[in-house]
Amino acid sequence: MDASPGGRIAGSCAVIVAATIIHIPIQKARSHALLLTERGDTARWLGDLAAAEKDLQKVIERTSDLIDPVPVRLNALNNLALVYHNAHRFAEAELLHREELSLSRKLYGDDHEEIFVSSINLAMVLNSLERASEARELLDDIAKRSERLLGAKHPTTLLALSEYAHSSILLSRAQEAIPILERTLASESDVRGERHYYTMRTAFLLFRALLLCGRRETARKVFEHCLRQLFSLPDTTLDQTTRELRTALSTMVEFREPSLGEQPKAGRNNPCPCGSGKKFKRCCGRS
């Protein structure tokens, strides 16, 4: 080996060139993975679950060989889990959310917003799998930690509280859910706006809890307000979940006002707007 200054400089240059040559394909692979993730999430937003699944599976396969795949892989795992949830493939969604949560803990630690969001997504799947007790326990912990770290009116805290109330409803504890949902709805209206999907979802959960507790007139007012907000939104601004919420609510003829005019008719086989993933007729549409 040449130990002279010229030799050392030449050696250093060779190392730099080699590192650059190696780094270029890694950058390209990461950029391609990001593009596929974005394309897959857009397909999910538009309701093309098959196209979304194809792109996101490619990302997960290709990021396994990257040196630092975690941020890209986390995105893909979360988005593919949401695709499976929308497709009622709950067991597969749970596995992906658990892998995502494990990777998030390695990257962020335990007290981080990403951990809270991943845990809430997992809890939503557990509710869909009829494991509401497990979901409620997880959400109770996440809501308290999120409030302590992020604040009582942070969107993540509000989402945890709303889903906690959903678990309570599924466990026949609707009376306990009502005050939580009322406070959460008021905060979400301020923070997110009345027309935001999660605000309207919380309003629907409140409607459902009130109905279960026999408070029919109050439930009607909540329902009518929610429906007015949904039908004031242009079709082009709706993602798949909001379209499903609007369609499911429009099936509930007994609560519709004539003044709302013509609304799309829908069968009772549509996904339930509470987010359980079950068909409306088998969930909140049961008589």
Side-chain angles (χ1 to χ4, degrees), residues 104-152:
S104 293
R105 284 200 175 104
K106 290 177 183 177
L107 188 63
Y108 302 115
D110 283 328
D111 279 335
H112 190 281
E113 185 181 355
E114 291 294 332
I115 300 297
F116 304 154
V117 173
S118 296
S119 299
I120 295 166
N121 287 336
L122 174 60
M124 287 180 173
V125 173
L126 294 175
N127 276 335
S128 297
L129 286 166
E130 300 183 358
R131 289 156 59 187
S133 294
E134 190 178 341
R136 192 171 185 267
E137 184 178 349
L138 174 61
L139 290 160
D140 182 41
D141 175 58
I142 293 301
K144 289 172 182 173
R145 287 162 58 194
S146 181
E147 182 174 353
R148 186 178 68 248
L149 186 70
L150 304 174

Side-chain angles (χ1 to χ4, degrees), residues 254-265:
E254 61 176 311
F255 285 97
R256 285 168 55 183
E257 281 189 322
S259 60
L260 290 173
E262 280 301 309
Q263 298 159 6
K265 298 202 184 292

Side-chain angles (χ1 to χ4, degrees), residues 216-254:
R216 193 175 183 83
E217 285 308 309
T218 308
R220 181 187 293 278
K221 291 176 184 177
V222 172
F223 174 82
E224 288 171 355
H225 180 74
C226 186
L227 205 58
R228 285 185 185 281
Q229 295 298 329
L230 275 171
F231 279 94
S232 67
L233 294 170
D235 288 348
T236 52
T237 66
L238 305 181
D239 62 5
Q240 185 197 12
T241 51
T242 309
R243 285 196 300 270
E244 287 176 355
L245 176 60
R246 190 164 83 171
T247 302
L249 285 178
S250 70
T251 66
M252 304 173 70
V253 180
E254 61 176 311

Side-chain angles (χ1 to χ4, degrees), residues 155-198:
T156 301
T157 306
L158 297 174
L159 182 58
L161 288 169
S162 181
E163 194 59 24
Y164 174 84
H166 185 201
S167 300
S168 299
I169 293 170
L170 294 174
L171 291 167
S172 301
R173 301 170 73 167
Q175 191 64 53
E176 296 175 29
I178 290 172
I180 297 170
L181 290 168
E182 287 175 333
R183 290 194 301 270
T184 304
L185 182 58
S187 296
E188 282 186 323
S189 297
D190 290 340
V191 174
R192 300 184 193 270
E194 288 191 330
R195 296 180 181 181
H196 192 280
Y197 167 73
Y198 281 123

